[in-house]
Amino acid sequence: MPRALITGITGQDGIYLAEFLALKGYEIFGLLRGQNNPKATAVQQAVPSIKLLGGDLRDLPSLIGAMEIAKPDEVYNLGAISFVGLSWDQAELTSGITGMGVLRVLEALRIFTQNDMSRIRFYQASSSEMFGKVREVPQRETTAFHPRSPYGVAKAFGHHLTVNYRESYGAHACAGILFNHESPRRGHEFVTRKVTRGAARIALGLQDRLVLGNLEARRDWGFAGDYVEAMWLMLQQERPEDYVIATGQTHSIRDLLDIAFQRVGIPNWQSHVLQDPRLFRPADVDLLVGDASRARDELGWKPRGDFRTLIEMMVDADLADGEQNEKQAAGSGNRHR
Ligand code: NAP
């Protein structure tokens, strides 16, 4: 039975990846931070066989300890402060976790394997945000980086380290340069989820307005469930490489609003949406759109669903969630509307 250690297990991708690996027969260990992390229950419900280990990306000894218990064949480093907006407000924290965290995981691996790093396969969650002020469209593995946020800078640091440990120590280390990917498990702070949840709540009469930043921003959005398969495929290759994972198509926030509000039966979203310039990024990225042809040719990977299906799935999940919360509130006599 192969063994995998996942950091960022409580995040969107951590749970999808754990479900995917469980179906493949893996023994899975997840790194869980904090004393009484409230998200542990959701992880255990999704993957009952998982073993959760305490540890933090800021704490090297805890990472070495996790390696010693898990004795992994594969390590997936998904843990990060992953919200770009927060990275301007908490740049030092973001650098320490999203950037330096990669160094600590790689060092833990190097120490645990006594420099024989090739015997454990390592995946680093790199990001399209590294391309930032883009040098070419679409972006591919060879496109130079010009990150536009502290998050993007920290990811570029982690990416270069991954390549460097491959070249310096022969590590079987791969970086997946993933473009945005979403799901009903996406954090509420991210724009897709903010819109799908907002549309559902407005339709249910639970909120009136949705406050957003730049409606013209465009992104290459895929489904997280598809993208975790690409992570696994990378680690099954004989030769470690870096891969762009993307759909190759972009949509604007306006497109997102059209689909989400249509789904809940509200034809005119304009009367519910406010734009707040304070939510604009201090320095925004240009047109991020990925060319995933290397992943298609070498890994046999391609995205499955389309954008509309993804957004409708998210809206439906948020409607069900809102209705459930309403029922619970009504049942407990705590209905405040
Ligand atoms: P996410 O939902 O924000 O999850 C982040 C995870 O990191 C959470 O499990 C969080 O734990 C954990 N974490 C944060 N600080 C930590 C620390 N100090 N020590 C240990 N764990 C810590 O992110 P995601 O969407 O699943 O993304 C997974 C990875 O892919 C991230 O590295 C992200 O930057 C990268 N990525 C994501 C996308 C995307 O569109 N989703 C695109 C490109 C790259 P808590 O729950 O305890 O906070």
Side-chain angles (χ1 to χ4, degrees):
M1 199 188 249
R3 298 162 74 95
L5 173 63
I6 304 173
T7 75
I9 192 65
T10 54
Q12 168 187 260
D13 292 7
I15 300 186
Y16 277 110
L17 180 64
E19 284 176 338
F20 177 84
L21 295 179
L23 287 175
K24 294 241 168 251
Y26 275 68
E27 187 165 2
I28 307 160
F29 298 82
L31 192 85
L32 187 73
R33 68 162 168 165
Q35 285 179 227
N36 185 19
N37 192 319
K39 297 186 199 155
T41 315
V43 178
Q44 275 156 335
Q45 275 168 358
V47 186
S49 61
I50 198 164
K51 296 177 183 70
L52 295 174
L53 308 174
D56 196 297
L57 288 169
R58 289 166 292 191
D59 184 59
L60 177 62
S62 72
L63 299 174
I64 299 172
M67 303 276 174
E68 283 168 350
I69 297 169
K71 297 185 182 54
D73 300 297
E74 296 173 6
V75 172
Y76 295 85
N77 184 36
L78 310 186
I81 298 290
S82 71
F83 187 49
V84 174
L86 182 71
S87 78
W88 276 283
D89 297 334
Q90 299 182 13
E92 187 183 340
L93 186 73
T94 303
S95 306
I97 295 173
T98 307
M100 283 293 288
V102 186
L103 174 70
R104 292 189 198 98
V105 176
L106 285 165
E107 275 298 282
L109 257 177
R110 189 179 67 75
I111 293 164
F112 174 65
T113 59
Q114 299 179 332
N115 285 334
D116 183 12
M117 291 188 76
S118 64
R119 69 184 171 84
I120 299 180
R121 299 186 171 198
F122 173 78
Y123 173 84
Q124 168 55 21
S126 287
S127 163
S128 56
E129 290 285 330
M130 301 185 304
F131 295 123
K133 194 168 167 54
V134 302
R135 303 287 172 86
E136 59 178 341
V137 178
Q139 296 86 46
R140 45 182 70 91
E141 293 80 4
T142 49
T143 305
F145 301 151
H146 186 146
R148 296 272 278 172
S149 62
Y151 169 80
V153 172
K155 281 290 178 188
F157 173 78
H159 183 91
H160 286 305
L161 268 177
T162 303
V163 175
N164 183 257
Y165 272 58
R166 186 162 77 211
E167 294 172 355
S168 303
Y169 300 107
H172 190 295
C174 302
I177 308 175
L178 270 54
F179 283 62
N180 287 53
H181 46 280
E182 319 296 312
S183 74
R185 289 178 173 144
R186 192 58 149 145
H188 293 176
E189 66 276 34
F190 292 90
V191 70
T192 46
R193 189 73 196 283
K194 202 169 161 182
V195 168
T196 61
R197 189 163 177 269
R201 286 174 58 82
I202 289 168
L204 293 170
L206 297 171
Q207 83 185 51
D208 300 323
R209 287 184 319 182
L210 186 54
V211 184
L212 297 172
N214 181 8
L215 303 188
E216 313 310 327
R218 299 186 75 84
R219 292 288 183 278
D220 179 337
W221 278 299
F223 171 49
D226 288 348
Y227 284 35
V228 297
E229 182 181 10
M231 299 175 187
W232 176 77
L233 283 168
M234 287 178 214
L235 296 202
Q236 308 319 304
Q237 305 307 302
E238 225 23 74
R239 223 166 55 105
E241 273 288 354
D242 308 319
Y243 295 89
V244 161
I245 301 297
T247 69
Q249 290 175 7
T250 65
H251 298 272
S252 68
I253 309 287
R254 287 183 187 278
D255 300 335
L256 169 61
L257 286 159
D258 285 342
I259 297 173
F261 278 83
Q262 269 167 24
R263 187 67 172 176
V264 297
I266 298 176
N268 179 12
W269 54 259
Q270 283 79 357
S271 51
H272 295 284
V273 174
L274 281 184
Q275 256 190 304
D276 183 344
R278 284 174 301 180
L279 296 181
F280 282 44
R281 289 181 178 189
D284 210 345
V285 294
D286 295 334
L287 185 60
L288 289 184
V289 53
D291 173 0
S293 39
R294 177 189 275 177
R296 188 192 57 221
D297 296 346
E298 296 180 16
L299 307 178
W301 179 88
K302 60 178 195 309
R304 290 196 188 93
D306 65 1
F307 181 65
R308 174 174 289 276
T309 314
L310 169 66
I311 299 308
E312 290 181 348
M313 168 176 66
M314 292 173 68
V315 172
D316 291 352
D318 282 321
L319 276 173
D321 212 30
E323 280 162 1
Q324 174 80 9
N325 290 345
E326 275 288 87
K327 269 194 212 130
Q328 278 169 357
S332 66
N334 280 336
R335 207 156 184 274
H336 299 296
R337 279 211 287 130

